[in-house]
Amino acid sequence: MLIRIRRPGDLKESDVTPERYFRQRRQLLAMAAAAGIGAALPSARALVTPPSEGRRLPGLKDTDWGKDLEPTDFDDITHYNNFLELGSGKREPARNAHRLRPRPWSIRVEGECARPGVIDIEDVLKIPQEERIYRFRCVEAWSMIVPWDGFPLARLLARFEPTSKAKYVVFETLADPEQMPGLRRPIVDWPYVEGLRIDEAMHPLTLLVTGVYGVELPGQNGAPLRLIVPWKYGFKNIKSIVAIRFTEQQPRNTWAVLQPEEYGFYANVNPNVDHPRWSQKYERRIGEGLFARKHKTLMFNGYAEEVAHLYKGMDLRRFY
């Protein structure tokens, strides 16, 4: 029998916002809206039972983003993960997350900017945080609905004053074999690297995420800080970020270097361009069961109205 020793930094069951309370909150709001008494209710966040001291993200602002979407269970979000640094199986990241030490933590920002420097995670958490419920789509044709907590990436990038030469933004994950057992396998050329065009990085939908379901981000989800670009496939949403760099040239991101015929730099969700191994026309929603009806994949993952103009005139079969 495997006996796991809990570390002080591990989440306890009582530390997280119970998913049933999250659903209850939405049901109450829907009932109130139907009855026309929304203004008489306490704030949406006040209806959520708070987790233990020190784990819940303080001052989190509720927003209308994704208010019509039904979130995936917290357990599924935190136990069905791709995070190669913590293990190559879907369940391995959760099993190995206790090894990751999210404190102390700092992010180095450099390259084509007027004010390069280092920012500590505690200072990052002082930036006003909000909750947005986004669709999350993996290129492996599965998906989730996730209540992310964080803030627009542009708010952080602007502090470092990118110059006119900053055409791209490059992100780098922590690469510490002591904390990340996946690094013992030479699957990729560590550290994991991803990149965006500067206009994609500065887009209001692009989030720097510090939590999920109102609590600090668990290790398997990319603690303490990860990227979420909701119209792109999951592998673009790099986890456990330790470095950000402004560049003039398009970066060579990890998957595009490893298998360029399968993983493009843009990686926009597109039902009309199949991956060599997975059709992108439909997706399986995690938590709905293997025999549940599959969902049609939406162009740009349902965010076309907000982001399609970024790619006007581009051949999306070539720039996949």
Side-chain angles (χ1 to χ4, degrees):
M1 180 175 68
L2 177 64
I3 299 176
R4 178 184 165 190
I5 301 175
R6 188 182 295 278
R7 293 187 173 193
D10 286 355
L11 283 175
K12 297 179 294 186
E13 291 184 1
S14 59
D15 285 339
V16 301
T17 304
E19 182 270 343
R20 63 180 180 279
Y21 291 121
F22 198 90
R23 290 182 184 279
Q24 183 183 59
R25 180 191 83 175
R26 293 192 169 274
Q27 291 168 358
L28 284 170
L29 289 175
M31 292 168 60
I37 57 173
L41 277 175
S43 70
R45 180 124 328 258
L47 294 173
V48 178
T49 299
S52 298
E53 188 72 20
R55 287 297 180 186
R56 187 184 178 199
L57 289 167
L60 201 57
K61 177 186 174 185
D62 217 351
T63 72
D64 288 338
W65 284 99
K67 63 181 180 182
D68 57 334
L69 301 174
E70 184 72 13
T72 302
D73 287 353
F74 182 86
D75 187 66
D76 287 324
I77 292 172
T78 55
H79 289 82
Y80 193 88
N81 307 104
N82 286 329
F83 195 177
L84 292 175
E85 289 85 339
L86 294 181
S88 56
K90 292 289 187 291
R91 302 286 175 180
E92 280 185 86
R95 284 199 292 268
N96 293 324
H98 64 282
R99 297 172 179 267
L100 188 62
R101 299 189 295 274
R103 298 292 191 282
W105 194 279
S106 60
I107 302 95
R108 184 180 73 257
V109 183
E110 58 190 12
E112 299 292 350
C113 59
R115 299 170 60 87
V118 175
I119 185 167
D120 190 84
I121 186 62
E122 304 303 336
D123 290 326
V124 171
L125 291 171
K126 292 176 183 175
I127 299 173
Q129 313 275 313
E130 61 187 56
E131 178 185 271
R132 296 186 183 188
I133 302 175
Y134 279 166
R135 299 180 191 85
F136 182 88
R137 174 63 154 79
C138 180
V139 73
E140 296 169 350
W142 55 265
S143 65
M144 295 180 178
I145 304 295
V146 186
W148 298 114
D149 308 309
F151 57 89
L153 172 65
R155 291 183 193 166
L156 180 71
L157 298 185
R159 294 185 175 200
F160 297 89
E161 300 181 14
T163 70
S164 60
K165 291 184 177 180
K167 309 298 185 188
Y168 297 89
V169 185
V170 187
F171 305 87
E172 191 175 298
T173 299
L174 175 73
D176 181 354
E178 290 189 5
Q179 300 183 56
M180 298 173 147
L183 268 65
R184 297 168 191 163
R185 299 179 61 192
I187 303 172
V188 303
D189 187 15
W190 312 110
Y192 192 98
V193 174
E194 260 305 339
L196 296 172
R197 260 183 2 204
I198 187 76
D199 57 345
E200 296 175 322
M202 302 297 277
H203 192 281
L205 258 62
T206 303
L207 289 187
L208 207 51
V209 165
T210 57
V212 61
Y213 265 112
V215 296
E216 291 183 5
L217 205 58
Q220 61 268 35
N221 292 92
L225 195 68
R226 67 171 295 171
L227 185 70
I228 285 295
V229 190
W231 69 93
K232 293 181 180 290
Y233 290 118
F235 69 88
K236 292 291 289 186
N237 300 287
I238 190 169
K239 305 177 180 74
S240 300
I241 297 169
V242 294
I244 298 174
R245 186 166 55 257
F246 298 99
T247 67
E248 192 169 6
Q249 303 298 323
Q250 179 175 310
R252 290 169 56 82
N253 53 310
T254 292
W255 279 109
V257 170
L258 191 67
Q259 292 175 279
E261 71 283 2
E262 295 192 4
Y263 303 93
F265 174 79
Y266 284 93
N268 294 319
V269 175
N270 188 341
N272 304 313
V273 179
D274 284 338
H275 183 280
R277 285 180 282 160
W278 302 287
S279 167
Q280 299 301 315
K281 293 180 176 57
Y282 293 89
E283 60 198 52
R284 176 174 60 90
R285 186 72 48 80
I286 298 301
E288 292 185 345
L290 290 175
F291 302 105
R293 175 183 60 87
K294 289 188 176 181
H295 299 261
K296 282 188 176 179
T297 295
L298 302 174
M299 189 66 197
F300 293 114
N301 206 21
Y303 302 97
E305 185 176 346
E306 291 85 359
V307 303
H309 67 279
L310 297 176
Y311 311 100
K312 186 177 180 181
M314 290 179 63
D315 181 350
L316 297 182
R317 290 187 176 276
R318 178 184 176 194
F319 298 100
Y320 57 89

